[in-house]
Amino acid sequence: MLCFGKLPHPSEYVLSENIDDHITRLLTSYSVDINHGFLPYPDPLHQLPLSSKFGCWEMIMMDLSQYLHAKNIRSIILSRLKIIAIEQDDLLDEREFQRALLILAVLSHAFVWGEKPVSTYIPACLAIPWVELTRRACRPPILTHALMVLTNWKRFDLEKPIELGNIGILNGFLSGTDEANFYLITVELEYRGAKALKHMLRAQYFASNENEKELINELKMIENIQKTILNTLAKMFNEVDPYIFYNRVRNFLSGWKGNPLLPDGMLYEGISEIPQSIHGASAAQSSLIAAFDVFFNVKHDSEQTHEFINEMRRYMPLKHRQFLEMLAKHAHHLNDYINKFTSSENELRQAYSACIDQLVEFRNKHIQIVALYILAQMRKNNNNPNSSEQENDDASLATRGTGGTILMPFLKTCRDETKLQREKH
């Protein structure tokens, strides 16, 4: 794998090869695939070898949903797992490494959220190997978008696209069609957006060379991809039941920062005696969505958004973070060139504005989903006179996302900051 910064951005030198060939190589150097985008290529590993010393983890994963239904996941983990030391030559294969990260994250979240009351610690048999691997990955020990979405799918036919009907999840928690579809729609969304990354780099190249015609073509390609992404996101309404998502899926994605159920954070046994506060999974951890913001120079600098969105970079895979930094370094090419055209009737400005409008629509759709799948379900639970005290405590979490943000103010501010970029042009 090429090191960060090894290949120059297309705008930095006169290309001696086909631009698409260079962009393919450049993306690969950041662990980004020209066709899969931030989804891994080749496809994720389905299982670690059962004969390996990590096979005991996979054995529990096989029946995880049954243990969760039986509410005995904690005793299963504590009785069947011992501390496994991670040696330097363990899990050097990238697909095995990512599989191990996913397993330990899922088992740890199952331990915390799978029984009531919630656990305030993660046992050493999970915490010690998990923290070691996340240190190697330069990411915090928590279940992230990258783990639960990017590395948690399989294709039934490798010759067909990564889309609903041809993909399944590798692992869930309580299992079921709605839980699977929640993750799989997000996998398809990442796949649909993959080719936008190539067009972003091409657009920056043409902007740096002030090639108006080609830049317009690239922006129109990006707009069409954005429309496909929006249509994919809208599948949630038909494929995922709001009640099931709220009551059976989302709690497992929660972290222990900004979470009223774990106000003191989480103790990683065998690592530190000081509890850690770490955000849970969030859409803000998607490098794809972040790439659109970076490319269009959308600034999230308000009190509600700035700190959280910047912090979410740490939860992304390292090379994906570095890709975003490279993209941001060259975002000025597009911004500077468009500012040379003052007329709103200019075709280039119109193509640019159309892309921003699509990004605003995406955020509007996300707000609609949150209103239906979280806030409406919270109100239904709160109006239930038979709700237990624990269930009412759970409901207090619902005004926050699984990442720990206060939902509506955060999402609406993200949307409004996107609109502001439209108004600038």
Side-chain angles (χ1 to χ4, degrees):
M1 183 63 68
L2 294 167
C3 297
F4 168 52
K6 186 74 172 179
L7 289 175
H9 185 277
S11 65
E12 291 182 328
Y13 79 127
V14 178
L15 289 172
S16 59
E17 61 181 332
N18 178 281
I19 185 174
D20 287 337
D21 291 341
H22 179 79
I23 286 174
T24 297
R25 293 173 59 232
L26 178 63
L27 289 172
T28 301
S29 72
Y30 292 98
S31 295
V32 181
D33 184 75
I34 193 75
N35 295 311
H36 286 200
F38 295 109
L39 295 172
Y41 178 82
D43 295 2
L45 185 68
H46 293 189
Q47 189 179 72
L48 293 173
L50 295 179
S51 59
S52 72
K53 67 181 183 181
F54 309 112
C56 55
W57 299 343
E58 290 283 13
M59 293 299 292
I60 296 179
M61 292 292 282
M62 288 180 183
D63 294 316
L64 177 62
S65 63
Q66 295 185 50
Y67 298 139
L68 289 170
H69 286 297
K71 303 189 187 314
N72 65 355
I73 183 61
R74 291 176 187 164
S75 63
I76 291 292
I77 287 174
L78 293 174
S79 63
R80 296 188 185 180
L81 296 185
K82 307 298 181 186
I83 297 173
I84 298 177
I86 304 295
E87 308 295 340
Q88 283 190 338
D89 57 352
D90 283 334
L91 302 168
L92 295 180
D93 175 83
E94 182 64 18
R95 294 170 79 221
E96 290 189 352
F97 178 64
Q98 294 298 330
R99 176 65 187 166
L101 283 173
L102 173 62
I103 292 171
L104 290 169
V106 169
L107 290 178
S108 295
H109 278 244
F111 188 93
V112 171
W113 301 111
E115 300 178 34
K116 293 182 179 179
V118 299
S119 176
T120 57
Y121 83 103
I122 296 170
C125 59
L126 294 174
I128 290 176
W130 192 21
V131 169
E132 175 59 31
L133 291 181
T134 54
R135 284 173 177 166
R136 188 190 293 184
C138 300
R139 277 143 65 187
I142 199 77
L143 185 61
T144 61
H145 172 88
L147 294 175
M148 207 59 194
V149 173
L150 301 186
T151 64
N152 188 32
W153 56 276
K154 60 183 177 182
R155 269 189 286 186
F156 304 124
D157 186 338
L158 295 179
E159 301 301 317
K160 293 182 178 179
I162 302 168
E163 61 185 8
L164 284 187
N166 190 44
I167 51 176
I169 61 170
L170 297 176
N171 295 103
F173 289 95
L174 292 175
S175 75
T177 303
D178 296 273
E179 179 181 6
N181 283 343
F182 173 72
Y183 300 122
L184 295 176
I185 289 169
T186 315
V187 172
E188 181 181 333
L189 189 153
E190 291 277 350
Y191 174 71
R192 297 299 182 194
K195 286 186 172 59
L197 304 174
K198 172 185 76 173
H199 293 294
M200 290 176 186
L201 293 174
R202 286 174 59 91
Q204 289 182 338
Y205 170 70
F206 290 125
S208 70
N209 287 280
E210 299 193 347
N211 188 330
E212 182 182 359
K213 179 181 178 181
E214 292 296 338
L215 177 54
I216 290 171
N217 289 337
E218 296 305 318
L219 291 174
K220 287 182 176 179
M221 293 294 291
I222 291 172
E223 183 194 2
N224 287 333
I225 292 170
Q226 288 177 292
K227 290 178 179 177
T228 304
I229 290 173
L230 188 61
N231 290 335
T232 302
L233 181 63
K235 291 183 180 182
M236 287 284 181
F237 295 108
N238 292 327
E239 303 294 341
V240 181
D241 181 84
Y243 175 87
I244 293 177
F245 170 77
Y246 180 83
N247 291 285
R248 291 171 56 90
V249 178
R250 74 180 300 267
N251 274 356
F252 287 104
L253 302 175
S254 298
W256 19 97
K257 183 173 183 178
N259 189 328
L261 299 181
L262 290 165
D264 298 322
M266 182 63 58
L267 181 68
Y268 291 77
E269 189 179 62
I271 299 297
S272 172
E273 295 182 0
I274 301 173
Q276 304 297 308
S277 295
I278 306 176
H279 291 289
S282 168
Q285 295 165 5
S286 169
S287 301
L288 176 66
I289 304 307
F292 281 105
D293 277 342
V294 168
F295 175 72
F296 290 113
N297 204 32
V298 175
K299 301 296 185 184
H300 297 292
D301 50 14
S302 68
E303 182 179 350
Q304 292 95 333
T305 62
H306 180 73
E307 181 178 352
F308 181 75
I309 285 181
N310 283 348
E311 189 173 356
M312 288 300 98
R313 292 284 183 94
R314 294 198 308 112
Y315 293 66
M316 300 174 183
L318 176 61
K319 284 189 173 291
H320 294 177
R321 281 180 253 164
Q322 294 171 339
F323 171 80
L324 294 175
E325 291 167 6
M326 180 269 294
L327 195 67
K329 180 181 177 183
H330 297 276
H332 68 91
H333 293 302
L334 178 62
N335 206 53
D336 293 347
Y337 185 50
I338 287 178
N339 283 336
K340 292 184 177 182
F341 298 85
T342 56
S343 172
S344 60
E345 301 299 317
N346 175 263
E347 187 179 1
L348 175 58
R349 292 181 71 92
Q350 289 177 340
Y352 179 88
S353 295
C355 291
I356 299 293
D357 289 343
Q358 285 298 314
L359 191 54
V360 171
E361 283 305 305
F362 178 87
R363 293 203 148 107
N364 279 332
K365 188 68 66 177
H366 189 193
I367 289 170
Q368 292 171 20
I369 289 172
V370 167
L372 176 62
Y373 283 76
I374 299 177
L375 300 184
Q377 301 307 309
M378 175 196 69
R379 287 192 291 269
K380 287 181 181 179
N381 280 14
N382 284 349
N383 290 335
N384 181 359
N386 297 320
S387 294
S388 67
E389 182 178 349
Q390 177 66 48
E391 287 170 333
N392 288 329
D393 287 343
D394 291 346
S396 69
L397 174 60
T399 56
R400 292 181 177 267
T402 49
T405 59
I406 301 176
L407 273 171
M408 279 308 183
F410 172 78
L411 294 176
K412 288 181 177 180
T413 303
C414 285
R415 189 264 319 274
D416 293 343
E417 288 169 335
T418 308
K419 284 182 177 180
L420 186 61
Q421 183 64 11
R422 170 73 160 83
E423 294 166 3
K424 289 178 182 177
H425 296 281

